[in-house]
Amino acid sequence: MTHRENSIPVLEIFGPTVQGEGLVIGQKTMFVRTAGCDYSCSWCDSSFTWDGSAKNEIKQLSAQTIYDELNSLGGTTFEHVTISGGNPALIKNIGYLVDLLHDKGIRVGLETQGSRWQDWMADIDDLTVSPKPPSSGMITDWDRLDGVIKNLNNSPNEICIKVVIFDEDDLQYAIKVHKRYPHMRLVLQVGNSDVTTVDRESLVFALLEKYEWLINQVMVSTELKQVKVLPQLHTLLWGNKRGV
């Protein structure tokens, strides 16, 4: 098989750092960020993965080349790699990378909105399915999401559904998701409304205020009981900085 046939479009590889989202929040990890997304969320904090602004930064890399770069950056300091995007579930060849990382004894995490299924997703150790709420401007394809969740039923791996919350409509969407998939662990996470500011202090203040609002809403909810309510950890730590 040639390099091109098993290549993966990569925008950046960085770490070690900590995972800022989902059930694995705080997990020490390396990151591989892929290019391309089938969504264009209004508040996306990684729009450079799909809006063309970073098209000159995309490199077509083999799984082995990606692994070599991870080693070059992280050496012997890591045993967890997060594959992010964009939407990595668009890329069939990521299966090669997952297999290679597992062969090296490395646990793999990934987040996707649940709009596509790839067979290698069943092998992801820490999988977050994150359907997008009304504030994103995207429309959920419930049939596709149903199919992804069905394929993950009875999986022994760590799997959760995460919904980013900006307002009351998003919260009602999360309740709908929770009712549709009551057997799945649910994470609610505060959304970042300002993905361009460099004023970290004001951003942190706004995010903590919104986090308190979300906690207060969930605490009085009779429909959201088995749920984790999380901040966006990496934004609190580093603001909107890339590559951390």
Side-chain angles (χ1 to χ4, degrees), residues 163-197:
V163 181
V164 179
I165 305 296
F166 284 83
D167 53 33
E168 179 62 31
D169 287 343
D170 289 353
L171 195 58
Q172 291 303 312
Y173 175 88
I175 291 172
K176 179 178 179 179
V177 169
H178 193 36
K179 288 181 176 179
R180 195 176 185 99
Y181 314 111
H183 61 293
M184 298 289 291
R185 285 178 293 181
L186 178 65
V187 171
L188 302 185
Q189 185 169 294
V190 173
N192 176 12
S193 300
D194 189 349
V195 297
T196 60
T197 184

Side-chain angles (χ1 to χ4, degrees), residues 114 116-119 121-122 127 129 141-156 159 161 180-184:
R116 298 287 185 93
W117 173 258
Q118 299 281 356
D119 287 343
M121 287 167 60
L127 179 63
V129 180
D141 186 327
W142 294 103
D143 289 339
R144 286 200 173 194
L145 184 56
D146 286 348
V148 169
I149 299 300
K150 182 178 179 180
N151 286 334
L152 295 170
N153 283 343
N154 304 314
S155 171
I159 301 169
I161 292 180
R180 195 176 185 99
Y181 314 111
H183 61 293
M184 298 289 291

Side-chain angles (χ1 to χ4, degrees), residues 5 24 45 67 77 82 84-85 99 129 147 149 183 219 233 238 242:
E5 287 174 331
V24 287
D45 61 1
Y67 177 72
T77 67
T82 299
S84 65
D99 288 345
V129 180
I149 299 300
H183 61 293
M219 293 309 106
L233 180 60
W238 297 296
R242 270 183 64 178

